Amino acid sequence: MRGWLLGGALASLLWAQGALAGTVLVVGDSISAALGVETSRGWVALLEKRLAEHGLAHRVVNASISGDTSAGGLARLPGLLASYSPELVIIELGGNDGLRGQSPRQLQQNLAAMIDRAYSGGARVVLLGMQLPPNYGPRYNQAFSQVYATLAEEKQVPLVPFFLDGVGGVPGMMQADGIHPTAEAQPRMLDNLWPTLEPLL
């Protein structure tokens, strides 16, 4: 009986520690859904492993959907917040908005609304910035990239300026479509995020 009670107490303690650690919710598109790569080798799965290696008991929920836009993420976010009550939300969206030539102003409005909803739910936010291929033209590319910098300043949200730094356009780091990172690129992406994310955990 004593052993059972001790075992139950230990289980309760471990559960409490996990609950206190909180949930990290990733809301993204194919970059975070690891399109074309084994899910276990994607950067979100690698994040889960790194947290464990650092003795951090955070639960990681990957709510990323290939092809998703900022509008899609905004529509999905309230349900995700209600379901998971995350401590921290990582937003990796906008690439598909840009590739479709959608308005940077609308992108900014959608991401701003996502940040506000996460804040109102008691979560902190990390924003992952994106850049577009040069063939979209310097004017559009500049307006697109500026969205992330503007939001970081206005909303006081931690920003990774270019999540694919050291990956985009680098031989061996991108799949044949030139859009999606390879398995070899996933650790670099996590390394790009980690210095911004770690202090928040």
Side-chain angles (χ1 to χ4, degrees):
M1 175 65 77
R2 183 181 178 186
W4 182 86
L5 289 172
L6 288 173
L10 178 60
S12 297
L13 177 61
L14 292 174
W15 180 89
Q17 289 176 336
L20 287 173
T23 297
V24 176
L25 174 67
V26 182
V27 185
D29 51 33
S30 56
I31 301 298
S32 298
L35 183 68
V37 176
E38 290 182 21
T39 305
S40 62
R41 300 184 67 184
W43 77 263
V44 178
L46 297 180
L47 169 61
E48 201 164 18
K49 293 177 182 177
R50 184 170 296 186
L51 292 174
E53 290 168 357
H54 282 73
L56 299 167
H58 291 70
R59 175 191 184 194
V60 179
V61 174
N62 192 356
S64 303
I65 298 178
S66 295
D68 206 7
T69 62
S70 62
L74 176 57
R76 294 192 295 120
L77 186 59
L80 293 170
L81 294 175
S83 296
Y84 300 108
S85 300
E87 173 188 314
L88 192 147
V89 177
I90 299 174
I91 300 176
E92 179 276 302
L93 287 169
N96 289 312
D97 298 62
L99 293 175
R100 298 175 187 182
Q102 295 179 0
S103 165
R105 179 177 297 180
Q106 186 61 57
L107 169 62
Q108 183 169 326
Q109 291 175 353
N110 291 341
L111 292 178
M114 290 187 71
I115 293 168
D116 288 343
R117 285 181 183 272
Y119 281 164
S120 66
R124 288 171 291 175
V125 177
V126 173
L127 184 62
L128 305 187
M130 287 293 167
Q131 295 179 12
L132 296 174
N135 58 296
Y136 280 76
R139 185 174 180 179
Y140 183 78
N141 283 7
Q142 174 60 30
F144 177 86
S145 297
Q146 187 60 39
V147 165
Y148 298 95
T150 299
L151 287 171
E153 182 176 355
E154 290 184 352
K155 301 294 183 181
Q156 293 297 294
V157 58
L159 170 69
V160 178
F162 182 33
F163 185 45
L164 299 185
D165 184 40
V167 172
V170 177
M173 291 292 198
M174 300 297 287
Q175 298 179 38
D177 60 10
I179 297 174
H180 297 100
T182 60
E184 290 71 23
Q186 305 297 317
R188 173 58 188 260
M189 293 157 62
L190 177 56
D191 287 342
N192 289 342
L193 166 64
W194 188 249
T196 303
L197 179 64
E198 185 180 19
L200 302 175
L201 298 171

